[in-house]
Amino acid sequence: MTRVAFIGLGNMGSGMAANQAKAGREVIAFDLSAEALERAKEHGVKPAAGAAEAVKDADIVITMLPAGQHVRDVYLSAILPNAPRDALLIDCSTIDVDSARTVARDASMQGFRSADAPVSGGTAAASGGTLTFMVGCREQDFAEIEEALKPMAKAIIHAGDSGAGQAAKICNNMLLGISMIGVSEAFTLAESLGLDAQKFYDIASKASGQCWSLTSYCPWPGPVPTAPSNRNYEGGFASAMMLKDLKLAQEAADGVGAPTPLGGAATAIYDDLVAAGHANKDFSYVLQMLRGRG
Ligand code: NAD
């Protein structure tokens, strides 16, 4: 039986680990939260006393942690010193490109195969096993990594070498943050000009303004019934998470000298939204802030 060590059973990791167990794999997990470990037992996940114990006989090691610092710490203190050398190491957290590359280099120097494989899709996709994975790894390791991720995935895409998965994730989310603000500004202006919101939607969704933020995730309540705007912006993708990804994109852009003026402006706008106390609202709530209602 394939043995999976899973480190980080938070909002995302809990569902992902459960799907590994559901696929018939032996899952041994660790989280700093005793409560999270207790809950995981209900889904057939076995708790370990520490990350070192969880990884010691693993075929696959998956991490789903908050940020780069956590991933670097867990790799250096527990995974690299204790996992078998032939274990496949996969980090699914969203972290900075530099940390992803550092961790991959350290792993490779010790003879491990590794990948950065951040995800698109929220907690519902994590529980439902329908996440999209963007994978940074050596070409020759991809098939095995794909097999390891399958119980948690709807799509698995090879983005390139180490760090390319994280690069794809932050570029995509920077574009998403910018486009959501663009759509929200357009609705706000339409309202001020006396244009009916539904009429504006009907026209823009069939004209050149069409984009995912408008037609799949419309920030104005009504036109797209499944969008979080119809549930008082609860659930969905938290503004704090969008801000985290925008900051990662800005950090990466600064590091390579890439011009991202709109990415910078989007970061400042989401910073304001979070500072105004809306960290947990879906990121489409930016519309209400622009309208002066948030
Ligand atoms: P979370 O804060 O709910 O979970 C993180 C878990 O890691 C916590 O349970 C925490 O106790 C645990 N942890 C922290 N340090 C640890 C350590 N040293 N050892 C063991 N466990 C440790 O976060 P989340 O929402 O599950 O997100 C995880 C990652 O996925 C983040 O990088 C996030 O950006 C990314 N992500 C989240 C979403 C989302 O919708 N929540 C979507 C896509 C990507």
mmCIF file of all heavy atoms in Angstrom, residues 17 123 170 232:
data_model
loop_
_atom_site.group_PDB
_atom_site.id
_atom_site.type_symbol
_atom_site.label_atom_id
_atom_site.label_comp_id
_atom_site.label_asym_id
_atom_site.label_seq_id
_atom_site.Cartn_x
_atom_site.Cartn_y
_atom_site.Cartn_z
ATOM 1 N N ALA A 17 -5.966 15.462 2.463
ATOM 2 C CA ALA A 17 -5.481 14.234 3.115
ATOM 3 C C ALA A 17 -6.587 13.172 3.109
ATOM 4 O O ALA A 17 -6.335 11.988 2.875
ATOM 5 C CB ALA A 17 -5.035 14.544 4.543
ATOM 6 N N THR A 123 -11.618 25.539 -0.635
ATOM 7 C CA THR A 123 -11.839 24.410 0.273
ATOM 8 C C THR A 123 -12.837 23.397 -0.303
ATOM 9 O O THR A 123 -12.707 22.199 -0.047
ATOM 10 C CB THR A 123 -12.341 24.908 1.635
ATOM 11 O OG1 THR A 123 -13.448 25.778 1.423
ATOM 12 C CG2 THR A 123 -11.260 25.682 2.359
ATOM 13 N N ILE A 170 1.081 32.661 -8.895
ATOM 14 C CA ILE A 170 1.015 34.082 -8.522
ATOM 15 C C ILE A 170 0.735 34.974 -9.730
ATOM 16 O O ILE A 170 0.082 36.002 -9.596
ATOM 17 C CB ILE A 170 2.253 34.567 -7.730
ATOM 18 C CG1 ILE A 170 3.527 34.343 -8.509
ATOM 19 C CG2 ILE A 170 2.300 33.926 -6.360
ATOM 20 C CD1 ILE A 170 4.747 34.987 -7.850
ATOM 21 N N ASN A 232 -23.850 37.291 0.416
ATOM 22 C CA ASN A 232 -23.226 38.320 1.241
ATOM 23 C C ASN A 232 -21.701 38.182 1.249
ATOM 24 O O ASN A 232 -21.047 38.470 2.247
ATOM 25 C CB ASN A 232 -23.799 38.283 2.670
ATOM 26 C CG ASN A 232 -23.474 39.554 3.429
ATOM 27 O OD1 ASN A 232 -23.232 40.598 2.822
ATOM 28 N ND2 ASN A 232 -23.418 39.457 4.750
#
